[in-house]
Amino acid sequence: MVLLSMTASHHELDMSTLELLSTGAASVGRTAVETCEAITGAVVVATCNRFEVYLDVDSPVDGRGVQHASHEVARLVAAASGVAEDVAVGAFSTRTGPDVAAHLFEVAAGLDSMVVGEREIAGQVKRALEEAREGGATSSTLELLFQTASRTSKRISNETTLGGNGRSVVSLGLDLASAELPPWRQVRTVLIGTGSYAGASLAALRARGCEDVRVYSGSGRAEQFAADRGAVAVTDLVAALEDADLVVSCSGARGRVAADAGGAAGGGAGRAGAGAGAPGEGELGDAGPAEGEEPSAEADAVRAGGDALGHVLDAAALVRARSRAAEAAGDEAPHRPMVVLDLALHRDVDPRVADVDGVLLYDLASLKAHSPALGSLVVGQARRIVDRATQDFEETRLGRAADTAVMELLDDADRRIAAEVAERAAERRAAGSEVDEAETEALTRSVRRRVHADLHDAIVAARSSALAAAQAEASAVVADAEEALRSAGTNGLDVGACAGR
């Protein structure tokens, strides 16, 4: 077995490319397990600034299984997103062996996030495992990997100050917006969306003192969402925008429609994503919203242009709202500026909104550019915890072979104990002494203590030897797999089809 990860994130790709790559790819993990015999488990972590697939691969020593698995996943992503296969292959960074665990542990801790130290990604990693488990796509090794990632993230949170200041994309966006807004208690906000990230955004606004929050959703869920949280639901978005100072949009409706369209078009792997929603449906990730939080009605009800993949908020609607506000204000007061935060991967807001007079638009790409660095001392502490957790994970994973060697020693010891007890009891009987049950049990305890004391050094040596052998074998498989991947990259994509189950 080999662990393999294929990762695409904000480090290597711009947000537009990442958005395109992740469209319609929600069921990639489950489909990979079903269609590729070499893949025994798969977990997908999809957030607003990363799309990562973690695979448990039953690989032969020559690495061909890993090669087939990686290109099968690339094919599935290409089919689901509509990108060319060579583009999908080139978009992913591939890791094998201990590097897989080290990377995931950094991701779960927020060390690899757009806003370093944000905490929401820990929940996304945990939910990714739960979703894979529900879909029957995980494996015992992936279970161990992701559970260790969650424990490592929690330890870093408890033992360091990383993430202690509530760092997240929404907090960064509100920090930037505050420079252009009135005091928070005077800010009038329109919140678009009713999913988990909308709830987190509302909580962040309330924490800053913003009480005037109106909630809009074309899904019909705004009224219940607002009632549960003490906000006000609105049904006319344009009217709500007329006197708004701030718009926070995180519905993900466009991502849901894109996923549905991708799943409906064509056959094969493309159909696998139908109705599944976009990656990370209804959740947070890297402090950003996941897509697909709103039902398809959101996409149908909000758009002005009627485009099936249109934006939730377009420039024309905003211009109408601003014009009405200007007419109402007349000469009595200057027209107040507006800040728009688009926190959805599949943009809720038309980029042309930035051209509307008096409107400042921040999307994920611009928020990334403004993300502050975190102190090297805190990051160093967290990375040391990650390094130790990676080492412990590898020892645990590879220790199964060592456990087998230890069990063989213990079984042999039990046989020796039984033989010696029987021999000594026979000697007593031959000398004319009766050996009752109590004497037999006492004799057994005495022999066991002596044999196990002598066994300690042998167990340590056997475990060390077996662990070294397992590490050497795993390293050989990883090296062959990496060579196979490099060879495939050099010679093209013709690596053959994965056998179905």
Side-chain angles (χ1 to χ4, degrees), residues 15-177:
M15 291 299 171
S16 297
T17 304
L18 187 59
E19 173 186 353
L20 179 62
L21 191 70
S22 65
T23 300
S27 61
V28 164
R30 184 180 68 253
T31 305
V33 172
E34 293 172 350
T35 60
C36 185
E37 187 174 9
I39 299 175
T40 61
V43 180
V44 176
V45 177
T47 76
C48 70
N49 52 49
R50 71 180 63 252
F51 180 67
E52 305 189 346
V53 185
Y54 292 82
L55 304 171
D56 191 357
V57 181
D58 186 4
S59 173
V61 176
D62 63 6
R64 292 288 295 177
V66 172
Q67 182 182 356
H68 279 293
S70 62
H71 283 85
E72 177 69 5
V73 170
R75 287 191 185 99
L76 293 175
V77 171
S81 64
V83 304
E85 287 185 15
D86 59 339
V87 173
V89 170
F92 286 104
S93 296
T94 304
R95 295 175 176 84
T96 54
D99 290 343
V100 175
H103 176 71
L104 178 61
F105 297 170
E106 288 189 349
V107 169
L111 286 168
D112 196 62
S113 295
M114 191 168 72
V115 178
V116 176
E118 58 91 4
R119 298 301 307 152
E120 285 87 349
I121 182 61
Q124 181 71 14
V125 168
K126 181 178 179 181
R127 286 187 288 271
L129 176 62
E130 293 171 351
E131 290 169 3
R133 189 184 297 141
E134 291 170 0
T138 189
S139 69
S140 60
T141 302
L142 288 173
E143 288 275 355
L144 176 63
L145 175 68
F146 274 74
Q147 289 174 17
T148 305
S150 294
R151 289 195 297 270
T152 302
S153 175
K154 185 175 182 179
R155 181 182 173 191
I156 289 173
S157 178
N158 291 336
E159 297 183 13
T160 76
T161 58
L162 189 74
N165 297 322
R167 296 166 65 88
S168 68
V169 170
V170 68
S171 66
L172 174 60
L174 295 180
D175 286 345
L176 295 173

Side-chain angles (χ1 to χ4, degrees), residues 229-411:
R229 295 164 177 82
V232 176
V234 296
T235 57
D236 187 335
L237 178 59
V238 174
L241 293 171
E242 290 180 16
D243 63 347
D245 303 301
L246 173 66
V247 179
V248 180
S249 190
C250 47
S251 77
R254 214 170 151 251
R256 175 58 177 264
V257 174
D260 290 345
R271 285 196 300 268
E281 180 173 349
E283 302 295 350
L284 297 87
D286 284 33
E291 310 312 315
E293 288 190 322
E294 302 290 350
S296 296
E298 173 85 12
D300 297 333
V302 182
R303 302 201 230 328
D307 181 358
L309 295 179
H311 296 91
V312 176
L313 175 59
D314 61 25
L318 196 57
V319 167
R320 288 198 300 274
R322 301 285 287 172
S323 297
R324 292 179 188 176
E327 292 173 3
D331 297 329
E332 296 179 7
H335 198 183
R336 296 170 69 160
M338 175 188 289
V339 179
V340 178
L341 300 180
D342 185 356
L343 303 180
L345 171 58
H346 301 279
R347 297 178 182 87
D348 277 354
V349 180
D350 183 347
R352 291 174 294 183
V353 162
D355 298 328
V356 178
D357 186 41
V359 175
L360 179 62
L361 172 63
Y362 287 108
D363 59 12
L364 290 177
S366 56
L367 291 178
K368 177 184 177 182
H370 287 87
S371 178
L374 198 64
S376 58
L377 179 61
V378 176
V379 171
Q381 292 173 334
R383 290 196 188 282
R384 283 191 290 275
I385 294 175
V386 165
D387 290 343
R388 181 60 197 174
T390 301
Q391 181 180 342
D392 290 346
F393 170 78
E394 285 299 305
E395 290 180 355
T396 300
R397 183 174 71 88
L398 297 175
R400 293 168 182 169
D403 291 341
T404 299
V406 171
M407 289 302 300
E408 290 176 355
L409 283 175
L410 292 173
D411 289 343

